[in-house]
Amino acid sequence: MKKEWIKSVVLVVLGAVIYSVGTQYFVVPAQIAPGGAVGIALMINHLTALPIGTLTLLINLPLLVLAWFYLSRQFTVRTAIATVLVTIILDFIVTPICPQYAGDRLLSSVYGGIVVGVGMAFIFLAGFTTGGTDIAGYLLQKKFPHYSIGHALMIIEGIILVMSIFVFQDVDAGLFGLISVYVQTKVIDMILYGSDAGSQAIIVTKHPQEIADRVIQELERTATILPAKGAYSGDPIDVVLCTVRKSEFVRLKRIIGQCDPSAFVMANETSEVLGLGFKGFTEVV
């Protein structure tokens, strides 16, 4: 437990430092608002020159109060700790000493998304969160259960990006902000869920063993054969469950087509694959 606690502390502090450097060095000079509470804080900072970290904390305060009563209290405490830590590091450590990138605005948006995304991923890996739209999304979903968290976050982020166009008086601010959000999301997903993503195929076929044998021989993967029954015909049938890397999926389709042209295939993208032939459990952070 002590080792895990130390690991969490190191990750959240490192994440807060990286997050703060990315914000100060790349995002601020680009004059964009890449979503979240920090995006609103950047817009207010542009108008008032008030510290970004402090503004982020103030924006999060009412959301934290609502989260305390309507969401998990543990979630609220961890979010508050991470938010205060980011505020202190950004305003009192990074901002006074960190220069600002003065190059191309597009590069600033892209690299800002990368660096901020890395920082946020480390914070998430430590079991903390930066709050902002995360809290707002959960609260909105709680109020309107028919909306998914993803849709709720998309609506909030979209509103912030549109607002940035009017605050910075520049359409490019919204476009560059969108690029930064996209890059940031991709980086977070890659770190949290691993780059060893794959494709899962659920194959309803009359020749399960033939397909499984060729998968084992040609792709050096394995497969699981599940007994099933057709809902309409009531006839017994087999389902082959197989997961391969994305680069191998075209070869898998070729194998299926050659073995059973009448097979029914459902393909899904998997965010992370653990186990034999992929990333081992000992590699999980």
Side-chain angles (χ1 to χ4, degrees):
M1 289 294 293
K2 184 178 180 181
K3 184 179 178 181
E4 288 297 318
W5 182 81
I6 293 173
K7 183 179 177 180
S8 293
V9 171
V10 171
L11 279 173
V12 74
V13 172
L14 182 61
V17 171
I18 296 173
Y19 178 95
S20 300
V21 170
T23 300
Q24 175 65 18
Y25 188 75
F26 288 112
V27 177
V28 174
Q31 291 194 332
I32 56 175
V38 71
I40 299 173
L42 284 162
M43 289 188 283
I44 299 175
N45 168 265
H46 177 74
L47 299 173
T48 65
L50 292 172
I52 296 169
T54 302
L55 288 169
T56 304
L57 179 61
L58 292 175
I59 292 166
N60 270 310
L61 281 178
L63 293 173
L64 288 168
V65 172
L66 291 172
W68 178 264
F69 290 106
Y70 296 105
L71 301 176
S72 165
R73 295 192 174 184
Q74 183 180 14
F75 168 82
T76 306
V77 171
R78 285 179 172 269
T79 302
I81 291 172
T83 304
V84 171
L85 185 61
V86 168
T87 297
I88 294 171
I89 292 175
L90 178 57
D91 284 353
F92 301 103
I93 299 176
V94 172
T95 299
I97 64 173
C98 183
Q100 292 184 340
Y101 177 71
D104 184 77
R105 198 176 178 192
L106 175 60
L107 290 177
S108 191
S109 301
V110 171
Y111 283 100
I114 292 172
V115 178
V116 170
V118 171
M120 291 184 70
F122 283 179
I123 292 172
F124 294 156
L125 283 172
F128 293 77
T129 174
T130 53
T133 51
D134 290 341
I135 300 176
Y138 281 113
L139 290 170
L140 188 59
Q141 200 269 341
K142 196 174 183 69
K143 179 70 175 176
F144 304 102
H146 56 285
Y147 280 111
S148 69
I149 295 291
H151 288 159
L153 291 175
M154 192 185 305
I155 292 170
I156 297 169
E157 299 287 9
I159 292 172
I160 294 173
L161 287 172
V162 171
M163 286 173 57
S164 70
I165 295 174
F166 296 97
V167 172
F168 293 112
Q169 297 184 345
D170 181 12
V171 174
D172 286 348
L175 299 177
F176 286 131
L178 182 61
I179 291 172
S180 189
V181 170
Y182 177 80
V183 173
Q184 178 180 306
T185 302
K186 288 297 181 183
V187 169
I188 291 172
D189 285 347
M190 186 179 70
I191 294 175
L192 291 185
Y193 305 120
S195 58
D196 205 5
S199 297
Q200 179 192 67
I202 301 172
I203 311 157
V204 181
T205 175
K206 297 177 182 178
H207 306 284
Q209 195 60 56
E210 184 181 352
I211 292 174
D213 288 343
R214 289 192 59 181
V215 167
I216 293 169
Q217 293 168 7
E218 299 177 27
L219 300 182
E220 296 184 347
R221 299 291 172 198
T222 188
T224 301
I225 300 176
L226 306 172
K229 184 176 75 171
Y232 178 75
S233 66
D235 296 334
I237 196 166
D238 291 302
V239 175
V240 179
L241 180 63
C242 179
T243 301
V244 297
R245 286 193 171 89
K246 288 183 179 180
S247 58
E248 299 168 332
F249 188 67
V250 172
R251 294 167 63 192
L252 176 62
K253 286 196 295 183
R254 188 179 299 118
I255 289 171
I256 297 169
Q258 291 171 353
C259 294
D260 185 2
S262 63
F264 182 75
V265 181
M266 292 169 283
N268 302 294
E269 182 178 333
T270 57
S271 59
E272 183 175 20
V273 184
L274 302 174
L276 184 64
F278 293 90
K279 184 166 64 177
F281 287 95
T282 57
E283 300 175 50
V284 180
V285 177

